[in-house]
């Protein structure tokens, strides 16, 4: 069946990508690029008053200031990301769930 084959290919591809990430890690360039993209999206999303109010309310609810999230992302290093990836993507703690909605 094509759908079974497609699911297995997707699982194999994801597993291969996770293995590569855990083995090779991320580069400083990749981390900086992700930080810049996040900060840019965060900044531009807060241009409108309603979104800015929502950001402020969420920050206050978590006892933070609106800029804390950006500071947290800015503090990330390749080493932190690599260690976290190896912890989260540990194959001995992995499960695969395949959701197939009924038509």
């Amino acid at each position: 069946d094509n759908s079974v084959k497609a699911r297995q290919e997707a699982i194999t591809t994801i597993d291969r990508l996770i293995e590569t990430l855990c083995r090779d890690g991320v580069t400083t360039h990749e981390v900086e690029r992700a930080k810049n993209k996040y900060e840019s999206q965060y900044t531009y999303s807060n241009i409108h008053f309603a979104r800015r109010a929502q950001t402020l309310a969420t920050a206050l609810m978590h006892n933070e200031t609106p800029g804390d999230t950006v500071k947290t992302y800015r503090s990330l290093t390749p080493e932190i990301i690599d260690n976290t990836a190896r912890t989260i993507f540990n194959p001995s703690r992995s499960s695969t769930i395949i959701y197939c909605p009924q038509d």
Side-chain angles (χ1 to χ4, degrees), residues 43-99:
T43 300
Y44 290 119
S45 72
N46 284 298
I47 288 175
H48 300 288
F49 291 114
R51 176 66 181 150
R52 194 176 315 163
Q54 182 181 11
T55 299
L56 179 58
T58 301
L60 290 174
M61 185 173 65
H62 293 286
N63 200 28
E64 300 173 342
T65 63
D68 287 347
T69 306
V70 173
K71 287 178 193 172
T72 300
Y73 273 82
R74 282 278 164 212
S75 70
L76 293 175
T77 64
E79 294 77 22
I80 292 170
I81 294 170
D82 292 344
N83 290 334
T84 302
R86 288 185 191 104
T87 299
I88 291 172
F89 298 123
N90 182 337
S92 67
R93 297 171 45 195
S94 174
S95 303
T96 302
I97 298 172
I98 300 171
Y99 174 71

Side-chain angles (χ1 to χ4, degrees), residues 14-62:
I14 291 168
D15 287 344
R16 197 173 326 119
L17 289 169
I18 289 171
E19 180 183 321
T20 301
L21 171 65
C22 290
R23 184 187 63 239
D24 300 342
V26 295
T27 66
T28 302
H29 175 74
E30 289 170 321
V31 173
E32 282 304 312
R33 187 170 176 207
K35 288 179 193 180
N36 291 340
K37 184 175 181 178
Y38 175 81
E39 187 172 1
S40 173
Q41 288 175 338
Y42 179 87
T43 300
Y44 290 119
S45 72
N46 284 298
I47 288 175
H48 300 288
F49 291 114
R51 176 66 181 150
R52 194 176 315 163
Q54 182 181 11
T55 299
L56 179 58
T58 301
L60 290 174
M61 185 173 65
H62 293 286

